[in-house]
Amino acid sequence: MKDIAAALDVSVATVSRALKDSPRISQSQRDKIRAYAREHNYYPNVLAESLRNSRTKPLKIIGVILPQFAHFYFSSILSGIEQEATSRGYIIMVGQSDEQYNREVQLCERFYEHKVCGVIVSQAKDTQKYDHFQKLLDHGMPLVFYDRICTGIDCSRVVVDDYQGAFNAVTHLIETGCRRIAYYSSPMTLEISKNRYNGYRDALLRQGLKPEERFFRICDNRADAEAITPEILSHEEIPDAFFAVNDDTAIGILYTAKRMGYRVPEDISICGFTNGQRAVACDPMLTTVEQRGIRVGEEAANILISKVEGESPKDKIDKKVVRTRLVIRGTTR
């Protein structure tokens, strides 16, 4: 603005008012200044302006922490957050924890330093301490968890109905004739793992079947599924179905079973949990539980912005559950 003022022989205050379309400046002067600014590619510093106003208005930047960018579910949640934030005049600042506690702590510190108006986060797999989250709350910064919630802190969260989704999926496997159903889970320290395991277990018990330890594995990615599955399928009595915590793991099982000569679903049925793009790119296409990630992101952003703008008290604990849907395709009978 100083450069524009010097070039046009006006004050910096006049330039500032003209760029804000203030009626205190004549229309001809406003047009002249704004035309010059456009010709010389001038854009206002939104962050600097927000910082100047931050004492009276919240900084309209939302911090978002994803465990992994590459995961379809997390990227779809990010899309939902961005859509809702943009529609309400906010921008997002995104960081990836890469499933690392230390990186997650650094991101929380960075967001606090940059004075974001609030943080939306899904915790890393190995997070066991929650001081970095509590610090944000202690400083009055709204915090909303999605998917992987922090049980150590009573805080607003948006989740899918993990228990019911798993229960419906395993019930479908049983109703199509499966009796020995293996389950590949993410680490049981995560609340989603416990909820999905409980849905798996209760569906078996409801049908008079018992969960078998030999058919349970901690495995939540394709590479591990391809490494673990051959051992399970080498026994005399093998599972006639697999239920996996996510689609990538399920596809790893599918690839391995076919490579070992098993027919899917005639010999082995497989069900995943996500309904990402890869679910329809495999052969046969994957039966899976749809998580509706975009809706999860929209709900999380809506809760956070409502707290920032005073529509909802900051200390109110909002809990939203997004319903899942079983999508039946070619990997089950």
Side-chain angles (χ1 to χ4, degrees), residues 63-217:
V64 181
I65 301 178
L66 275 68
Q68 289 182 326
F69 281 119
H71 197 294
F72 173 83
Y73 181 53
F74 293 132
S75 63
S76 64
I77 290 174
L78 181 61
S79 293
I81 294 172
E82 198 274 337
Q83 289 174 20
E84 181 68 15
T86 299
S87 70
R88 299 183 66 172
Y90 288 74
I91 61 176
I92 61 175
M93 182 183 295
V94 186
Q96 176 182 238
S97 68
D98 201 24
E99 304 289 12
Q100 299 175 32
Y101 164 77
N102 290 335
R103 175 64 177 154
E104 186 178 84
V105 172
Q106 292 171 359
L107 287 169
C108 286
E109 292 174 348
R110 187 72 56 83
F111 288 154
Y112 179 72
E113 291 169 0
H114 282 76
K115 300 184 183 300
V116 300
C117 64
V119 175
I120 300 174
V121 57
S122 181
Q123 73 174 53
K125 287 180 187 177
D126 64 350
T127 295
Q128 299 294 319
K129 296 185 293 184
Y130 313 114
D131 294 350
H132 53 303
F133 296 139
Q134 189 62 54
K135 177 182 177 181
L136 297 179
L137 293 172
D138 291 344
H139 284 86
M141 184 175 289
L143 183 65
V144 178
F145 285 93
Y146 66 89
D147 191 51
R148 302 179 192 165
I149 64 173
C150 176
T151 57
I153 296 176
D154 196 13
C155 189
S156 296
R157 73 281 306 268
V158 181
V159 297
V160 301
D161 55 345
D162 291 295
Y163 172 90
Q164 194 63 47
F167 183 92
N168 292 342
V170 176
T171 298
H172 166 68
L173 292 171
I174 296 170
E175 289 176 347
T176 55
C178 301
R179 292 295 179 268
R180 301 181 304 279
I181 303 172
Y183 176 45
Y184 284 11
S185 171
S186 50
M188 293 300 285
T189 53
L190 299 173
E191 196 68 14
I192 62 167
S193 304
K194 298 173 186 176
N195 290 336
R196 291 180 194 178
Y197 176 79
N198 288 338
Y200 159 80
R201 179 200 62 195
D202 288 354
L204 291 174
L205 294 175
R206 177 72 64 86
Q207 300 294 330
L209 304 173
K210 293 183 179 180
E212 297 188 52
E213 188 67 26
R214 62 188 175 129
F215 292 152
F216 175 80
R217 295 290 188 278

Side-chain angles (χ1 to χ4, degrees), residues 281-312:
C282 55
D283 181 27
M285 292 191 288
L286 185 68
T287 293
T288 185
V289 179
E290 184 177 51
Q291 289 182 272
R292 299 175 63 202
I294 290 178
R295 184 61 178 168
V296 170
E298 290 173 342
E299 292 287 355
N302 181 56
I303 290 173
L304 185 78
I305 294 172
S306 295
K307 293 182 182 299
V308 170
E309 298 188 346
E311 299 171 2
S312 175

Side-chain angles (χ1 to χ4, degrees), residues 1 4 19 33-45:
M1 286 193 290
I4 296 172
L19 293 175
I33 292 171
R34 295 169 79 176
Y36 185 91
R38 285 195 301 271
E39 290 170 5
H40 291 79
N41 299 310
Y42 168 80
Y43 295 94
N45 188 323

Side-chain angles (χ1 to χ4, degrees), residues 309-324:
E309 298 188 346
E311 299 171 2
S312 175
K314 286 186 178 180
D315 58 355
K316 179 186 176 184
I317 308 302
D318 293 293
K319 299 179 180 179
K320 180 70 176 181
V321 178
V322 175
R323 298 300 176 191
T324 57

